[in-house]
Amino acid sequence: MDHSYFDDRTVTARPSSLSAALRERAATWLGKPAVKPVPVRGSGSGSVTTLDAAGPKLRRAAASNEALGLDHVRHRYGRMTAVDDVSIGIAPGEIMCLVGPSGCGKSTLLRVAAGLETLQRGTVRINGKVVADDTGCVPPEKRGVGLVFQDYALFPHLSVIDNVRFGLSGLAAESQRRRALETLEQVGMAGHADHFPHALSGGQQQRVALARALAPNPAVLLLDEPFSGLDARLREQVRDETLHVLKKTGAATMLVTHDPEEAMFLADRIALMRDGKVIQLGTPVDLYTRPNSDYAARFFGEVNRIDGRVRGGAVDTPVGRVPCDLPEGAEARVLIRPEALRLSSPDSSADARVPNLGRVMAARLLGRTSLIHLDVPDGRGGCHLHSRMPGQFLPAEDTHVAISLDVGQAFVFPAKDPT
């Protein structure tokens, strides 16, 4: 293991402002150099991206451009495998969310990256330097990472500013105070510098914990379920503020969450985990519109499930044919997003063909969308499907609606999907 990491630490260049970070991101996506190059996410040879109508497709950064790299990491607790051969690389300025159900290994992987769990197999790199492998392990406090825990872990006997100063012991007292105030200003908490944690709300405590993690200017930030203790309304506000702060710092971020919506809101890329393995790794657009398994499709949103058989390169469903590349005659499972079922009045259908009809069982306004329960004839007693329409769309119960299917939001998998 390369212990020169302690003697000659490199500092990752960061964008000086939010506009600089946005300029870098736009330049990367367009494949053109920015006016003032900064080695943030997408700069250099490791992250050329392409654009399509479904959103950007990001390629994994080259190892030389990784702020955090984990290769073939395995970790066991007794006979239970918590992390099973996981490899992930995170570029400077990139936010990677680890998401999955409880017990899937996401928090263990973060703790291995932080050094809070001793690496058993694999390699961990920070800024290109090996900090853990089969030969040894750099302790957490010397890895140059910032940590934010689920319970924030603030010191109750220290003021806000002293909590933030805690990780700045290598600086002179005046420099500590100045840097702590700068970081508190970043998260909107400078006005509470002399308060104590018990006098703060949950959202304010979360921001102080983030400020403490950012104060030493780490190359890597690790956040473990940082919003789980907040109520729903406050959680939306705080995670929005956190996203802007993280993008302004330019640090590589690994964030653990069990909430798929939160992952899609925050992440540049998402690693979906199950039973210690990464099931799918990609952008939020990839995982929602191009799931690679039944499990991935269901995890990121409600789906209508219809079983069928492949005939002529497609599966027939009560709402239309769905193309697929499964073998002819194979049993298949079709998963259709509720927003893929677009409803209209049977009289307004401009299509010369007879429309697929469904009977409205119930319709409910859910704020920005309406959820419509449908009974669709399938020749076997009817099929119960859900449609989600934008805005207010509330047809009366027992009336009929025409249904058109957006096959781009319908996915076909083998009936016995191994995941």
Side-chain angles (χ1 to χ4, degrees):
M1 185 169 61
D2 185 0
H3 293 282
S4 64
Y5 180 76
F6 303 120
D7 304 318
D8 184 22
R9 295 181 64 182
T10 55
V11 179
T12 305
R14 307 261 169 74
S16 59
S17 65
L18 179 58
S19 60
L22 294 173
R23 183 169 60 248
E24 283 296 322
R25 172 175 284 196
T28 300
W29 283 359
L30 295 173
K32 300 176 181 178
V35 177
K36 296 181 180 179
V38 180
V40 296
R41 167 186 166 231
S43 61
S45 60
S47 57
V48 177
T49 66
T50 58
L51 293 174
D52 69 7
K57 301 175 185 177
L58 303 178
R59 292 208 298 264
R60 180 183 172 186
S64 60
N65 193 41
E66 287 175 349
L68 175 64
L70 298 97
D71 290 334
H72 303 291
V73 172
R74 295 178 185 270
H75 197 86
R76 295 175 63 89
Y77 295 108
R79 296 182 178 181
M80 186 194 76
T81 301
V83 178
D84 190 2
D85 195 26
V86 171
S87 296
I88 286 175
I90 306 178
E94 181 180 28
I95 300 175
M96 168 81 75
C97 282
L98 307 181
V99 67
S102 297
C104 71
K106 55 189 185 295
S107 290
T108 299
L109 188 62
L110 180 140
R111 290 174 63 83
V112 168
L116 301 176
E117 294 283 352
T118 302
L119 182 71
Q120 296 173 354
R121 288 187 61 184
T123 304
V124 178
R125 295 183 309 276
I126 294 176
N127 272 347
K129 303 288 186 178
V130 174
V131 297
D133 62 11
D134 294 339
T135 66
C137 177
V138 174
E141 66 274 14
K142 294 185 178 180
R143 293 196 179 190
V145 301
L147 291 165
V148 179
F149 298 101
Q150 186 171 340
D151 60 359
Y152 315 137
L154 299 178
F155 299 111
H157 62 291
L158 296 181
S159 66
V160 164
I161 193 167
D162 286 338
N163 264 279
V164 177
R165 290 174 59 178
F166 183 79
L168 301 173
S169 55
L171 301 178
E174 186 53 39
S175 297
Q176 287 182 22
R177 181 172 179 81
R178 183 167 58 252
R179 176 58 185 161
L181 284 173
E182 286 174 359
T183 314
L184 286 170
E185 184 69 36
Q186 252 186 317
V187 300
M189 289 296 292
H192 299 268
D194 296 323
H195 295 179
F196 283 81
H198 72 268
L200 305 179
S201 68
Q204 290 171 329
Q205 290 184 32
Q206 194 273 347
R207 282 181 274 178
V208 174
L210 180 60
R212 184 176 61 185
L214 291 171
N217 204 32
V220 176
L221 276 172
L222 305 173
L223 297 88
D224 190 4
E225 300 271 12
F227 313 113
S228 61
L230 306 176
D231 63 61
R233 184 74 59 173
L234 182 59
R235 184 163 60 245
E236 290 181 5
Q237 175 190 337
V238 173
R239 73 186 181 191
D240 181 68
E241 295 167 350
T242 301
L243 173 62
H244 294 296
V245 170
L246 294 176
K247 282 302 170 188
K248 195 178 293 185
T249 68
T253 302
M254 176 187 282
L255 187 148
V256 165
T257 179
H258 64 276
D259 184 344
E261 181 179 337
E262 186 168 283
M264 295 182 73
F265 178 86
L266 290 165
D268 296 306
R269 286 190 300 153
I270 296 172
L272 173 62
M273 297 187 66
R274 184 183 189 185
D275 297 331
K277 294 180 178 292
V278 173
I279 301 299
Q280 186 170 358
L281 175 63
T283 66
V285 171
D286 285 334
L287 272 73
Y288 193 80
T289 66
R290 295 182 280 271
N292 65 4
S293 64
D294 181 313
Y295 171 72
R298 287 184 286 108
F299 190 87
F300 283 94
E302 181 189 359
V303 291
N304 296 293
R305 171 182 159 178
I306 302 172
D307 293 326
R309 193 175 293 275
V310 179
R311 300 288 187 219
V315 180
D316 284 311
T317 78
V319 290
R321 283 174 62 81
V322 182
C324 69
D325 55 6
L326 296 181
E328 183 72 11
E331 293 184 1
R333 177 169 299 159
V334 182
L335 303 180
I336 302 173
R337 300 263 183 228
E339 57 268 31
L341 300 180
R342 298 170 180 172
L343 309 183
S344 60
S345 166
D347 315 340
S348 64
S349 177
D351 199 322
R353 296 172 298 179
V354 176
N356 296 308
L357 295 178
R359 180 178 64 85
V360 176
M361 302 168 65
R364 298 290 184 268
L365 180 64
L366 303 180
R368 292 170 290 183
T369 62
S370 297
L371 181 66
I372 300 91
H373 296 250
L374 299 168
D375 179 22
V376 182
D378 64 352
R380 293 173 294 182
C383 181
H384 182 184
L385 303 177
H386 288 175
S387 168
R388 193 178 291 269
M389 295 287 288
Q392 182 173 326
F393 184 90
L394 301 173
E397 291 185 16
D398 289 325
T399 59
H400 286 79
V401 291
I403 306 170
S404 62
L405 171 64
D406 175 6
V407 295
Q409 299 184 75
F411 318 109
V412 183
F413 301 105
K416 296 181 179 179
D417 190 330
T419 63

